[in-house]
């Protein structure tokens, strides 16, 4: 599969996930403002991860449209993904409304949380190495994969786990 095709598919999946998240919100009995902080955080993570995947894929497609394609196209994409992910981590950590209440999570929630943290850390490390050394497509696509996987996990949690407080 060519990188442009893979980026196009990733963009479609990201938009689909965000759309399905919106459908789940519409069919919940309460409005979003009445949700528990944990449920709102799940929705926020679903939307942020979907949007990050979409923006990364679109950025890669934009750079592939330059004629001739820059030699360091994947280096630029990895740099963009790294900066965006670092800003995402800082935003989530410094916003007290979006902090994850680990003491309220059940064991499976902690397992999922730490699994996603390990995936995200690996994805960010791959971006650094790709920017500094490799200049390959697959590490950049790994960042998109990590964000899409995190969005899918949040979507499944919204569907399968009863809203907090019910």
């Amino acid at each position: 599969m060519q990188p442009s095709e893979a980026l196009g598919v990733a963009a479609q999946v990201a938009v689909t996930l965000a759309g399905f998240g919106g459908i789940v919100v519409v069919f919940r009995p309460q409005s979003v403002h009445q949700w528990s902080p944990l449920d709102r955080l799940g929705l926020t993570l679903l939307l942020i991860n979907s949007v990050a995947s979409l923006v990364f894929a679109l950025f890669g497609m934009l750079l592939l449209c330059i004629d001739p394609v820059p030699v360091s196209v994947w280096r630029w994409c990895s740099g963009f993904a790294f900066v965006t992910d670092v800003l995402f981590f800082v935003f989530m950590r410094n916003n007290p409304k979006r902090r994850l209440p680990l003491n309220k999570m059940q064991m499976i929630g902690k397992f999922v949380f730490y699994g996603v943290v390990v995936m995200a850390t690996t994805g960010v490390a791959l971006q650094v190495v790709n920017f500094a050394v490799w200049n390959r497509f697959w590490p950049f696509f790994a960042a998109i994969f990590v964000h899409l996987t995190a969005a899918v996990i949040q979507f499944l949690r919204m569907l399968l786990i009863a809203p907090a407080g019910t």
Side-chain angles (χ1 to χ4, degrees):
M1 179 180 278
Q2 294 297 317
S4 59
E5 294 171 8
L7 292 173
V9 169
Q12 291 174 0
V13 170
V15 169
T16 302
L17 277 170
F20 283 150
I23 290 171
V24 169
V25 169
V26 167
F27 285 109
R28 279 242 178 129
Q30 313 98 347
S31 73
V32 175
H33 303 293
Q34 297 171 335
W35 289 13
S36 72
L38 190 59
D39 290 337
R40 279 187 299 214
L41 178 65
L43 177 63
T44 300
L45 290 172
L46 166 64
L47 295 175
I48 287 176
N49 282 303
S50 297
V51 168
S53 302
L54 176 63
V55 170
F56 292 174
L58 291 175
F59 185 74
M61 286 189 269
L62 174 69
L63 292 183
L64 288 176
C65 290
I66 298 172
D67 193 30
V69 175
V71 175
S72 58
V73 63
W74 306 123
R75 183 168 282 135
W76 293 359
C77 288
S78 286
F80 177 72
F82 174 77
V83 168
T84 304
D85 281 344
V86 167
L87 290 173
F88 169 68
F89 293 147
V90 168
F91 170 72
M92 290 302 288
R93 182 169 174 86
N94 290 338
N95 189 337
K97 291 182 182 176
R98 293 192 181 7
R99 280 216 182 117
L100 190 62
L102 287 176
N103 59 342
K104 293 185 179 180
M105 288 176 39
Q106 296 173 344
M107 192 58 171
I108 189 69
K110 288 181 183 178
F111 176 73
V112 169
F113 172 74
Y114 288 118
V116 170
V117 166
V118 167
M119 272 189 356
T121 305
T122 303
V124 169
L126 280 173
Q127 300 320 298
V128 171
V129 174
N130 196 41
F131 181 80
V133 181
W134 292 337
N135 190 32
R136 304 267 186 226
F137 172 67
W138 73 266
F140 172 63
F141 196 72
I144 295 172
F145 172 82
V146 166
H147 282 283
L148 286 176
T149 302
V152 166
I153 289 169
Q154 289 305 322
F155 177 68
L156 290 175
R157 291 189 83 234
M158 287 176 66
L159 284 179
L160 299 177
I161 298 176
T166 60

